[in-house]
Amino acid sequence: MSRFSFVASEHSMPEINLDGFKRLKVKDLKRMNYKESENAIVSIYDLDEETEVLYAENEADIGGLVISPCTNPPWGLEDYISEPHVYWLNGKGDDRWYHQVKEYLETNLPEQGCVKLWSMWFGDGYHKPSVIKRNLSQMSKEDFAWLNRQNSGCIELYRSENEIRC
């Protein structure tokens, strides 16, 4: 079984990648006088100079919000999500990530629109979704904790004063 999280919407939303990694070529990493960890699985000195690697200056920067198009969904996703725009929702799930999600939604959720945040297990059959509705201004970290406790959960988020049917 695997747990996946998604953003689903009737409207297109921008991608975002705050994962904390930079893509560098090995030759660029060497120019930075990069010090390898003693636990490195592969030495950069054994790689071709043109090989691209992921680099993070420090571990605390890793795990930020990533929202990307869901072009290869898990089998059975259509049993849950019917919106035309579906995106992977990834990141560490810590306080920094939560604030990034909130800022992203505050910037990209239309005044009269609705977005669904999903988290679900795949691999052991269909689970009837648990759903809560929230005005974006009332969304909290506890909502994400609730979402991750569900076998299949959805938070329907809207911005307007009146609840919008998603």
Side-chain angles (χ1 to χ4, degrees):
M1 288 187 357
S2 299
R3 178 179 284 283
F4 296 108
S5 297
F6 305 93
V7 176
S9 176
E10 290 293 328
H11 63 279
S12 177
M13 299 185 73
E15 294 179 53
I16 189 168
N17 187 338
L18 303 174
D19 67 4
F21 288 104
K22 296 177 187 173
R23 291 186 182 278
L24 298 174
K25 293 192 176 188
V26 168
K27 66 182 177 187
D28 298 325
L29 198 54
K30 288 178 180 177
R31 277 192 218 124
M32 294 170 50
N33 293 321
Y34 169 75
K35 287 191 163 202
E36 282 187 335
S37 165
E38 293 176 9
N39 301 328
I41 297 170
V42 175
S43 171
I44 64 167
Y45 299 98
D46 294 336
L47 298 172
D48 180 271
E49 296 273 315
E50 295 299 314
T51 301
E52 250 190 19
V53 294
L54 296 176
Y55 171 76
E57 292 217 14
N58 70 62
E59 198 171 331
D61 294 336
I62 298 172
L65 175 64
V66 178
I67 295 178
S68 58
C70 182
T71 56
N72 188 17
W75 184 83
L77 184 64
E78 66 281 355
D79 294 338
Y80 300 94
I81 299 177
S82 60
E83 286 75 18
H85 302 281
V86 181
Y87 304 88
W88 296 105
L89 174 61
N90 291 305
K92 201 183 275 186
D94 57 9
D95 285 347
R96 180 179 64 124
W97 178 87
Y98 165 74
H99 291 292
Q100 290 171 341
V101 170
K102 184 103 176 191
E103 183 177 324
Y104 173 87
L105 292 170
E106 286 170 350
T107 303
N108 296 294
L109 180 60
E111 188 61 40
Q112 296 302 314
C114 175
V115 167
K116 295 179 181 179
L117 304 180
W118 286 90
S119 182
M120 60 192 87
W121 286 100
F122 285 91
D124 68 340
Y126 178 81
H127 296 276
K128 184 176 186 321
S130 299
V131 179
I132 59 173
K133 296 176 186 283
R134 289 282 184 271
N135 185 297
L136 180 58
S137 65
Q138 297 169 336
M139 184 178 80
S140 70
K141 289 185 283 188
E142 289 75 28
D143 293 328
F144 282 99
W146 172 87
L147 186 62
N148 286 317
R149 286 191 305 269
Q150 309 306 308
N151 283 328
S152 172
C154 177
I155 302 173
E156 294 181 356
L157 288 169
Y158 56 94
R159 182 191 296 271
S160 70
E161 291 301 314
N162 300 319
E163 182 179 319
I164 292 177
R165 183 182 168 120
C166 286

